[in-house]
Amino acid sequence: MQFLMRLVVLCCFAATALADKMTAHFIDIGQGDATLLEFDCGVVMIDVGAQGRREAADYSAARLMNYLDDFFASRSHLNNTIDSVLITHNHNDHTYSLNKVYAKYAVKNLVTTTVGLGTDVRNILSRPDVNHRYLSYADALDKLPNGLSYPEINPFNQPGCNPNIQIFTGAVELRKDVIIDGKSFTKDQFNGRTKQNDNSLVIKVEYGEASFLFTGDLQIKGIEYLLTNYRDHLDVLDVDVYYAGHHGSHYATTEEILAAMSPEIAVISAGHASDRTKTSAWSYGIPDRDIVARLSDEVTIERVIPITGEVFTGGNGDNLVNNPIRKVIDKAVYCTCWEGTVVIEADTVKGTYSVQTNQ
């Protein structure tokens, strides 16, 4: 009965009153990330990626653009405007569609880090009309435990619509190896173009009693660095909905960060198991069976009707992974690889959530 009260199937684009609500659209673009956060006063996107490169990426990006076209067509009051795009880190599967989004819609702000900027991001940043902000870890720690919440990050500040969007990390700029609270961190673990994952932005969105956390592709060492720096303020990571790190891979959702969050619901973005191409979920072995089990143990809500989803027994990114296995999912763990686009509507007064899948 409790589950029935918290998870109710809703029509994705129904004409419902938006007051006291926010909606998170976890868009199925294959092996890539794109999340649209809808408030009654505007829209923020977290990542605008695509799967793979060239033809595959263009097909994936087209899926994203089709979804956004349908969304804005049903929300004429938003005037085809995205208030902010927050890029967790500069990898192709999180940034590829940026130029297409900027070409089609009015985007007011762009937020990212300076680590590993690719052509797709540089092309946008070079435009004089683009308002942007780079984030550093030093800046975040200087504001600890409140997090970064510049106008480019949280563009809303008006009566009746004032969600709280904060970022707790940024580009890690270690110039020497350090020991913090007995834990060692080396500059080589974070520095350089190939280390974008552990420089991922960690984004928390709160609106009334609703809360979401996005960790990008933060991996084990980046998670340890986050938890160590915020060791006296781990409550800032306590949320209801967790967007699982690095597409549900085995090194991006630790027991320690889950303990800090205590989530009720988890969402994974990953490609479909039937896709056996390079840069697919199959090639990386995600979502990982052990991570799905860990999430299922941690989240507190059960599904009314369990589903069967495909998971992997582990992968190393070299196309030598095992075939997927089928697992019964009876907890509130969702994956775009099983269910298409996942839409979660939050009642910001009651702190309850309604979920629709297969969008």
Side-chain angles (χ1 to χ4, degrees):
M1 179 60 70
Q2 180 184 11
F3 179 75
L4 288 172
M5 293 174 63
R6 295 189 64 86
L7 293 181
V8 181
V9 174
L10 295 177
C11 179
C12 178
F13 295 131
T16 57
L18 292 176
D20 303 325
K21 297 187 187 304
M22 69 163 284
T23 305
H25 305 249
F26 302 94
I27 304 170
D28 177 17
I29 57 170
Q31 185 56 34
D33 272 14
T35 302
L36 184 152
L37 302 179
E38 175 190 1
F39 307 97
D40 52 352
C41 52
V43 166
V44 168
M45 289 203 69
I46 300 178
D47 291 330
V48 285
Q51 176 176 325
R53 293 187 180 276
R54 298 187 177 90
E55 293 86 357
D58 288 338
Y59 173 75
S60 177
R63 293 173 63 179
L64 171 59
M65 297 305 294
N66 288 338
Y67 191 91
L68 293 179
D69 287 347
D70 289 344
F71 171 81
F72 280 108
S74 68
R75 305 287 195 275
S76 59
H77 67 284
L78 295 176
N79 297 316
N80 288 327
T81 299
I82 300 172
D83 293 274
S84 289
V85 173
L86 313 180
I87 301 295
T88 59
H89 65 293
N90 295 299
H91 273 157
N92 187 68
D93 57 333
H94 296 254
T95 65
Y96 182 87
S97 301
L98 189 61
N99 284 273
K100 296 179 185 298
V101 168
Y102 261 88
K104 185 69 178 289
Y105 302 107
V107 181
K108 293 182 178 179
N109 302 287
L110 176 63
V111 176
T112 184
T113 74
T114 58
V115 181
L117 289 172
T119 302
D120 43 10
V121 180
R122 289 184 184 276
N123 286 344
I124 296 299
L125 292 173
S126 65
R127 291 168 41 172
D129 61 322
V130 172
N131 188 40
H132 73 278
R133 182 180 287 270
Y134 296 122
L135 300 184
S136 73
Y137 222 118
D139 192 12
L141 294 180
D142 185 58
K143 296 173 177 57
L144 186 151
N146 296 316
L148 301 169
S149 191
Y150 296 114
E152 296 87 351
I153 298 170
N154 187 7
F156 309 118
N157 185 15
Q158 53 190 275
C161 183
N162 190 19
N164 187 20
I165 305 174
Q166 295 176 295
I167 298 179
F168 297 103
T169 56
V172 181
E173 299 170 332
L174 291 183
R175 288 173 171 77
K176 63 178 181 179
D177 301 348
V178 297
I179 296 177
I180 306 173
D181 197 33
K183 298 179 176 63
S184 64
F185 302 94
T186 70
K187 61 181 182 180
D188 290 340
Q189 291 168 337
F190 297 98
N191 294 350
R193 181 177 172 80
T194 61
K195 306 297 175 64
Q196 287 102 315
N197 285 348
D198 276 326
N199 288 269
S200 290
L201 302 181
V202 171
I203 304 166
K204 182 179 180 180
V205 181
E206 289 183 291
Y207 196 9
E209 296 300 313
S211 54
F212 297 72
L213 191 74
F214 302 79
T215 60
D217 283 2
L218 206 66
Q219 299 180 167
I220 290 174
K221 205 61 185 179
I223 293 170
E224 185 181 23
Y225 191 63
L226 169 73
L227 297 180
T228 300
N229 280 307
Y230 285 85
R231 60 192 177 277
D232 296 326
H233 308 282
L234 292 179
D235 57 301
V236 301
L237 302 177
D238 185 21
V239 294
D240 294 339
V241 182
Y242 169 46
Y243 191 47
H246 206 173
H247 317 282
S249 69
H250 67 283
Y251 40 70
T253 298
T254 65
E255 293 178 355
E256 291 78 10
I257 196 168
L258 279 177
M261 285 187 281
S262 61
E264 298 180 4
I265 301 170
V267 181
I268 303 168
S269 175
H272 299 264
S274 58
D275 181 357
R276 300 303 179 90
T277 60
K278 187 177 181 180
T279 71
S280 66
W282 167 80
S283 70
Y284 297 120
I286 50 181
D288 180 79
R289 174 183 61 181
D290 294 338
I291 292 302
V292 172
R294 182 175 294 171
L295 291 169
S296 296
D297 288 342
E298 185 66 30
V299 301
T300 57
I301 295 177
E302 296 183 352
R303 291 176 181 251
V304 174
I305 302 176
I307 67 162
T308 299
E310 293 180 314
V311 298
F312 291 86
T313 57
N316 54 13
D318 61 2
N319 293 334
L320 297 177
V321 299
N322 294 326
N323 288 328
I325 60 174
R326 296 179 66 79
K327 176 180 173 59
V328 174
I329 313 295
D330 55 9
K331 300 292 285 292
V333 178
Y334 299 88
C335 185
T336 58
C337 59
W338 308 323
E339 302 167 294
T341 293
V342 177
V343 179
I344 299 181
E345 184 179 274
D347 185 313
T348 62
V349 174
K350 299 177 181 178
T352 57
Y353 301 88
S354 305
V355 177
Q356 168 131 12
T357 60
N358 293 311
Q359 292 304 298

